[in-house]
Amino acid sequence: MMNRFKNRFISSFTIATVVLLLFSGIASAHVTVSPGVSSPGAWETYSIKIPVEKDIPTVKISLEIPSGMEFQQYRPVPDWTVELVKNDTGLITMITWSAEGDGIQPGQFQQFEFVAKNPKEESHLAWDAYQYYSDGSIVEWTGAENEKNPHSITMVTTETGTEMTGGHNHTSGSASSGNTATPAREATQGGSTAAGTTSIVLSSVALLIALIAFWISLRSAKKST
């Protein structure tokens, strides 16, 4: 009887763990561009992170360069080709990475880096990205923060404080100091808070499922005695 109870408990715990990991993966699997905060006029090194949400590989990713930014150069990655799209004035408006091999496999992610010059004025940069899978499907990361497929945001501001994560400012503005939250920092922290809240809610649901499964196992064990 004890062995049967033990096996049921292990089975319930395993199921709950899988559900928890599944929910956590769904909550965090977004295409994102970092840093989320930078300063006006800075030559910033940006990084785009591409996770795989499906059971098939990602074979291509296209990223639109926000208006007002000046794309400079990219870091080459083995087995990936790069295509740059320019407008009539010669400015690069989109960069596309295409896999020469198998692409990004399920359970993996890939990061690409590039350098761009920020706008001279404070601004709110939205990174629209398009993720291509091997079956021809496309996930458009172009929505607002509260939508299913949100685009990543970078706040360009002189009041970056401790949230500044790189870049060299070529303007006369200086970053503010102290612990007082600025609007840009609040916006960045707000996005992180929203994602964190979603993860907590989904994790709580998984925990509740685990408790229910354990209770059912316990009752079944008692009935069998």
Side-chain angles (χ1 to χ4, degrees):
M1 190 269 292
M2 286 300 298
N3 288 335
R4 184 186 304 173
F5 174 74
K6 181 180 179 180
N7 291 336
R8 288 176 177 173
F9 174 76
I10 293 175
S11 177
S12 300
F13 182 79
T14 301
I15 293 173
T17 301
V18 170
V19 172
L20 176 60
L21 293 175
L22 176 62
F23 281 151
S24 298
I26 293 174
S28 61
H30 292 328
V31 170
T32 55
V33 177
S34 60
V37 180
S38 189
S39 56
W43 296 89
E44 184 71 79
T45 299
Y46 286 97
S47 175
I48 178 172
K49 180 180 179 181
I50 305 99
V52 176
E53 294 183 307
K54 301 184 179 182
D55 293 329
I56 53 177
T58 289
V59 295
K60 185 169 72 173
I61 184 78
S62 293
L63 179 69
E64 291 186 10
I65 306 302
S67 177
M69 293 198 73
E70 183 181 341
F71 181 93
Q72 291 295 316
Q73 53 193 191
Y74 63 89
R75 183 191 296 273
V77 176
D79 299 325
W80 289 83
T81 60
V82 173
E83 178 185 0
L84 302 176
V85 176
K86 300 180 179 180
N87 61 14
D88 295 337
T89 63
L91 290 177
I92 295 172
T93 58
M94 178 179 285
I95 178 171
T96 298
W97 292 270
S98 299
E100 293 182 323
D102 296 331
I104 313 170
Q105 299 299 307
Q108 300 178 355
F109 72 90
Q110 179 62 274
Q111 285 182 297
F112 301 108
E113 292 182 326
F114 60 94
V115 175
K117 184 179 180 181
N118 292 336
K120 295 181 180 179
E121 304 295 331
E122 293 190 331
S123 55
H124 182 91
L125 303 178
W127 300 94
D128 287 339
Y130 305 87
Q131 185 175 10
Y132 295 78
Y133 283 90
S134 59
D135 64 351
S137 60
I138 305 173
V139 178
E140 298 185 2
W141 299 95
T142 58
E145 180 184 327
N146 58 348
E147 296 183 7
K148 180 181 178 181
N149 299 319
H151 50 206
S152 195
I153 296 293
T154 295
M155 302 297 295
V156 175
T157 176
T158 57
E159 299 182 356
T160 53
T162 57
E163 293 295 319
M164 187 62 195
T165 56
H168 304 284
N169 197 342
H170 289 252
T171 66
S172 59
S174 60
S176 63
S177 59
N179 296 324
T180 303
T182 65
R185 291 173 63 187
E186 289 175 354
T188 304
Q189 292 167 355
S192 300
T193 301
T197 300
T198 302
S199 298
I200 291 173
V201 171
L202 294 177
S203 298
S204 299
V205 171
L207 178 59
L208 179 60
I209 293 174
L211 292 174
I212 293 175
F214 175 71
W215 180 74
I216 293 175
S217 298
L218 184 62
R219 290 199 61 184
S220 300
K222 288 182 177 180
K223 288 181 179 179
S224 63
T225 58

